Amino acid sequence: SEAQSYQRVALIGLGLIASSIYWAMKRAGMEAHVTGYARSAETRETAKRLGLCHEIVDSAEAAVKDADLVILAVPVGAMGPIAEAIAPHLKPGCTVSDVGSVKKEVIEAVRPHLPEGVHFVPTHPMAGTEHSGPDAGFASLYDNRWCLIVPDGAPEEATARVEAFWQALGAKTEQMEVEHHDLVCAVVSHVPHLIAYTMVGVADDLRRVSDQEVIKFSAAGFRDFTRIAASDPTMWRDVFMTNKQATLEILGRFTEELFALQRAIRTGDGQLLFDYFTRTREIRRGIL
Ligand code: NAD
């Protein structure tokens, strides 16, 4: 298949996303030689211990040497500097891809560094857990999950090969335009994470309810709702630093809805609450 046609793959950053890519490649029986790089020596040691990648190297420059496919799997804010560092070492005609949760700013940060003849095919696998780091990955992470492909002008052939690669890892793929991607992700992922973080913040701030009580009684909503607030702080800081416009737009809409419900509670408008919950329950039941 087309995905098998990459002979050498470089994974830059060895966290949840990259380690899951490696395990899924192995499961798919791909024969590509995979070289991995992570910034911290501790992560590289953990990766070696886990048997992650065929080879772990000490610099991003060394990792991309001779690679046919380079996947940037570092926090969004680190994509530009990494692209700048590896650019002179890329094999002519290779494909660079990234898995960042934000696309517009990543593309603007990465593309200017890439030499002519190197293809850039940005992607975003819509899969994750609240765990991070090299030991968080597993082969089935991408099964039946969407991987959004944002070619943004990349040649069709290079794009098709990246799509085939993700499909071999178990994902379904769909192409999307850059700004639309960032708005969709603001509503389905970014703002929900922000609200989960604030809910934990509210509980922590409330002196009349102890942390022990929050933990003890958290089954009733708090536990489900705030699971994602255990996610990596660097990753999520970078998401909000770079998807500013879309997340502010969705937060504005969220605040309007919240105020409408707050007013209904204050004025005792049970009908409004009932109608709202009925409509949103129908929508939520359509998911899964
Ligand atoms: P992670 O925290 O598990 O791993 C990040 C990796 O990047 C680590 O190995 C870390 O050592 C390395 N790293 C961090 N800063 C670096 C730097 N400056 N230079 C070199 N290496 C550096 O994160 P993850 O969940 O694997 O996320 C990686 C990327 O994938 C992010 O851009 C994130 O937005 C995106 N993503 C995450 C999810 C998710 O749910 N976790 C889902 C889809 C996409």
Side-chain angles (χ1 to χ4, degrees):
S1 76
E2 283 182 291
Q4 303 282 7
S5 61
Y6 296 117
Q7 285 178 3
R8 296 185 74 93
V9 173
L11 296 176
I12 309 298
L14 296 170
L16 167 71
I17 296 295
S19 57
S20 296
I21 290 174
Y22 181 72
W23 299 125
M25 286 177 74
K26 275 199 83 166
R27 188 190 61 173
M30 286 187 202
E31 276 161 18
H33 180 274
V34 183
T35 306
Y37 163 73
R39 184 181 50 170
S40 88
E42 194 192 332
T43 302
R44 295 196 296 267
E45 282 314 310
T46 306
K48 284 180 199 167
R49 182 169 50 73
L50 294 167
L52 201 63
C53 301
H54 300 103
E55 191 186 355
I56 298 290
V57 295
D58 292 350
S59 75
E61 292 86 334
V64 304
K65 191 175 179 295
D66 298 324
D68 305 294
L69 174 65
V70 175
I71 302 179
L72 309 180
V74 294
V76 163
M79 298 280 186
I82 290 269
E84 185 174 13
I86 62 172
H89 307 274
L90 292 167
K91 177 175 160 181
C94 79
T95 292
V96 173
S97 186
D98 78 284
V99 294
S101 305
V102 176
K103 292 276 68 97
K104 190 171 193 291
E105 284 227 4
V106 166
I107 291 169
E108 284 170 1
V110 169
R111 185 177 286 135
H113 297 297
L114 301 182
E116 221 174 300
V118 165
H119 309 304
F120 183 36
V121 185
T123 68
H124 179 195
M126 304 285 287
T129 72
E130 69 277 28
H131 304 295
S132 52
D135 39 15
F138 53 98
S140 61
L141 179 65
Y142 304 115
D143 286 350
N144 291 313
R145 306 301 295 269
W146 287 105
C147 181
L148 300 176
I149 312 286
V150 184
D152 197 43
E156 257 173 56
E157 199 205 11
T159 304
R161 274 177 84 180
V162 170
E163 280 199 55
F165 176 82
W166 278 100
Q167 287 164 8
L169 302 188
K172 307 178 280 186
T173 60
E174 185 161 310
Q175 294 193 14
M176 204 175 266
E177 183 272 324
V178 188
E179 271 162 34
H180 191 62
H181 167 279
D182 287 358
L183 185 64
V184 167
C185 290
V187 75
V188 304
S189 171
H190 304 168
V191 172
H193 274 82
L194 192 80
I195 296 165
Y197 281 122
T198 63
M199 213 51 237
V200 178
V202 167
D204 182 50
D205 194 46
L206 203 62
R207 289 282 165 264
R208 280 170 295 138
V209 178
S210 72
D211 289 355
Q212 284 79 2
E213 282 178 296
V214 172
I215 293 161
K216 187 170 166 189
F217 301 119
S218 71
F222 192 87
R223 186 191 296 263
D224 284 345
F225 184 70
T226 60
R227 178 184 57 78
I228 54 180
S231 302
D232 185 67
T234 303
M235 170 187 159
W236 285 99
R237 175 201 62 196
D238 285 6
V239 166
F240 293 106
M241 297 300 287
T242 55
N243 198 15
K244 199 169 174 174
Q245 195 187 330
T247 52
L248 286 178
E249 179 180 339
I250 300 302
L251 262 180
R253 300 297 186 95
F254 171 75
T255 312
E256 277 183 24
E257 302 276 314
L258 194 62
F259 276 142
L261 297 188
Q262 184 177 324
R263 181 182 161 80
I265 294 167
R266 183 173 54 77
T267 61
D269 191 345
Q271 190 63 48
L272 187 147
L273 295 173
F274 184 82
D275 292 345
Y276 195 96
F277 298 156
T278 303
R279 180 168 65 87
T280 52
R281 178 170 77 166
E282 282 310 302
I283 296 164
R284 182 60 184 84
R285 281 183 167 174
I287 306 174
L288 276 173

